Amino acid sequence: MSIEPARRVRRSPEAARENILQSAERLLLERGPQGLKLVEVAQGAGVSHATVLHHFGSIDGVQTALAEAMIRQLVARVLEAERPDDPEAQLEGVGQVLFDAFESAGGARLAAWLELTGETRRLTLVREAVAEVISGPMAQKGVDPERATNLILVAVSLAMGVGLIGRSLAELVGRPPETTREAALAFLKTGLAAAIKTEGRAG
Amino acid sequence: MSIEPARRVRRSPEAARENILQSAERLLLERGPQGLKLVEVAQGAGVSHATVLHHFGSIDGVQTALAEAMIRQLVARVLEAERPDDPEAQLEGVGQVLFDAFESAGGARLAAWLELTGETRRLTLVREAVAEVISGPMAQKGVDPERATNLILVAVSLAMGVGLIGRSLAELVGRPPETTREAALAFLKTGLAAAIKTEGRAG
DNA sequence: AGAGTTACCGACAAAAATGTCAATAGAGCC
DNA sequence: GGCTCTATTGACATTTTTGTCGGTAACTCT
């Protein structure tokens, strides 16, 4: 019985990177920032750690690439809120999608990680997304840009907070985990409606 | 010229721990979770890394102690919102203090760190604080506990989000950094007022 | 089939981070 | 002064993590 080397899987560079990044993302989300070790990432991706290095150069390379990829995802998801169906449903929808974006796939955790790591530079993507929303659906409703911006800032912050600690918080006070999200959603909805109606008289 | 050993500073155990924790906190806040290394903590505290081990046993010990200390601070600050002066000012005050608590001294960053690290267990402190607020100032205003809880969940989440990414967000869209906070505060205030007035008819 | 390209890996090397230990030096007490 | 207690430390040891390198194997093209 000779020990024969394990059969290799050979991927395209893109597929390889993608595969590795997925493993990294999983690790980041379930083990936290400190859990992002070279060997673990490699293991999770089913490759040797040398391979990871081959594709990303260094562990920092992995971090950077991961951050960029996750931001891209997040922004994409948020922008889905932009479907201008009917104005009423949309008011509801904006909140829904926004909250989803930050809650699912660890959007909030990503954002938190970026903040904590100080990786807040490459966020041009985000700025563009915000600009798009302001000049798009918001403008349609006749909300002036200044106020629209404020609303967005608040909504995103709220989504961030809910996505990050919403579930823990709720459980902490003995409520089902979705409680925070639902409460926040209702709060946001009435708040938005009020703000849009009030439009015209200055704050 | 003989090299004489540097003069030692000898502290009480409590002072020593305190000193080390301050260094750790500083590091956590400005370098992020990954920056919490034994030697760096020691250096920042002006002691050898062996000393850190002596007092905390391990690097995990440092983390745990730090988390606990910071939570204690955070809760203490939040509870300052509880001064029941006059009802009106308090409505304003709650928001102010809450936001301060999460913004200053990296309260939000701490919470984010805890979430990311999965250190969400030892939060009995937080639960007690929340309970206190619910049965205290909220009850005084005649807000029923269920709804009060929801409001708190939302407010805290919002404070969390604002504290963590508020400034970056605002700058990202070309506004002064305090914009998010102010907008959120206003939003929260009107929302709270509305919610309290509506009290009585079910949602 | 043969040749070229390169993703992939194992083994090794280097660096970084954590932890151990015996000895030293402040501080209080007699 | 001499004694005790222990916070402190440098030097060493171990473990973890990151990075290098030469060769191998999968795939494509001719």
Side-chain angles (χ1 to χ4, degrees):
Chain A
M1 284 231 201
S2 66
I3 301 171
E4 60 186 54
R7 181 176 178 75
R8 291 185 185 178
V9 186
R10 187 191 178 102
R11 291 170 243 251
S12 73
E14 300 78 33
R17 288 174 60 98
E18 172 63 23
N19 174 42
I20 292 171
L21 282 184
Q22 278 185 14
S23 164
E25 178 174 339
R26 208 179 318 132
L27 270 174
L28 173 67
L29 295 183
E30 64 189 29
R31 290 235 229 290
Q34 353 243 33
L36 215 58
K37 307 295 183 185
L38 209 37
V39 284
E40 294 197 61
V41 171
Q43 219 166 24
V47 297
S48 78
H49 84 276
T51 299
V52 178
L53 274 285
H54 172 70
H55 284 290
F56 294 95
S58 73
I59 184 66
D60 283 322
V62 176
Q63 275 205 7
T64 304
L66 177 61
E68 209 167 301
M70 290 184 76
I71 289 182
R72 216 178 292 279
Q73 282 178 34
L74 179 62
V75 170
R77 271 200 298 272
V78 169
L79 281 188
E80 286 176 9
E82 225 204 338
R83 304 165 286 186
D85 305 31
D86 83 298
E88 274 309 309
Q90 203 188 17
L91 196 59
E92 182 98 11
V94 166
Q96 294 277 6
V97 178
L98 193 59
F99 279 53
D100 277 345
F102 274 88
E103 194 163 5
S104 71
R109 295 172 73 90
L110 156 72
W113 174 55
L114 290 180
E115 260 309 313
L116 291 181
T117 317
E119 202 84 9
T120 331
R121 302 154 215 153
R122 87 187 84 264
L123 297 188
T124 16
L125 268 174
V126 178
R127 177 182 353 213
E128 289 162 10
V130 173
E132 204 166 325
V133 173
I134 293 180
S135 61
M138 285 298 206
Q140 277 185 23
K141 291 208 185 49
V143 181
D144 94 315
E146 190 71 23
R147 179 168 302 214
T149 305
N150 280 358
L151 288 178
I152 291 184
L153 291 180
V154 174
V156 172
S157 297
L158 182 57
M160 172 75 197
V162 172
L164 192 59
I165 62 171
R167 303 181 75 85
S168 314
L169 255 188
E171 285 177 345
L172 209 59
V173 297
R175 296 286 188 285
E178 323 81 39
T179 311
T180 307
R181 183 201 159 110
E182 287 161 9
L185 210 46
F187 193 86
L188 184 60
K189 189 182 166 190
T190 60
L192 280 184
I196 290 180
K197 277 190 193 119
T198 319
E199 186 60 19
R201 26 168 170 150
Chain B
M1 285 231 206
S2 65
I3 301 171
E4 61 186 54
R7 180 175 180 77
R8 293 185 186 178
V9 187
R10 187 191 177 102
R11 292 170 242 251
S12 74
E14 301 77 33
R17 288 175 60 98
E18 171 64 21
N19 173 42
I20 292 171
L21 282 185
Q22 278 188 13
S23 163
E25 178 175 340
R26 209 177 319 134
L27 269 174
L28 173 68
L29 295 183
E30 64 190 31
R31 291 236 229 290
Q34 3 243 65
L36 216 58
K37 308 295 183 184
L38 206 39
V39 283
E40 294 198 62
V41 171
Q43 220 167 23
V47 297
S48 78
H49 84 275
T51 298
V52 177
L53 273 302
H54 172 70
H55 284 289
F56 294 95
S58 72
I59 185 66
D60 284 321
V62 177
Q63 276 204 7
T64 303
L66 178 59
E68 208 167 301
M70 289 184 76
I71 289 183
R72 213 178 294 278
Q73 281 178 33
L74 179 62
V75 169
R77 271 200 298 272
V78 170
L79 281 187
E80 286 178 9
E82 225 204 340
R83 304 165 285 184
D85 306 29
D86 82 299
E88 275 308 311
Q90 202 187 17
L91 196 59
E92 183 98 12
V94 167
Q96 293 279 3
V97 179
L98 193 58
F99 279 52
D100 277 346
F102 275 87
E103 196 163 2
S104 72
R109 296 172 74 91
L110 157 72
W113 173 55
L114 290 180
E115 262 307 315
L116 291 180
T117 316
E119 202 85 9
T120 330
R121 303 152 216 155
R122 87 186 83 268
L123 298 188
T124 16
L125 267 175
V126 178
R127 172 174 2 203
E128 288 162 10
V130 174
E132 203 167 322
V133 173
I134 294 180
S135 63
M138 286 296 206
Q140 277 185 23
K141 292 206 185 46
V143 182
D144 95 314
E146 190 72 22
R147 178 167 303 214
T149 305
N150 281 358
L151 288 179
I152 291 184
L153 291 180
V154 175
V156 172
S157 297
L158 183 57
M160 172 77 196
V162 172
L164 192 58
I165 62 170
R167 303 181 76 84
S168 315
L169 256 189
E171 284 176 346
L172 210 58
V173 297
R175 295 285 189 287
E178 323 79 39
T179 312
T180 308
R181 184 202 159 112
E182 287 162 7
L185 210 47
F187 194 87
L188 185 61
K189 189 183 168 189
T190 61
L192 278 184
I196 289 180
K197 276 193 193 113
T198 320
E199 185 60 17
R201 28 167 169 152

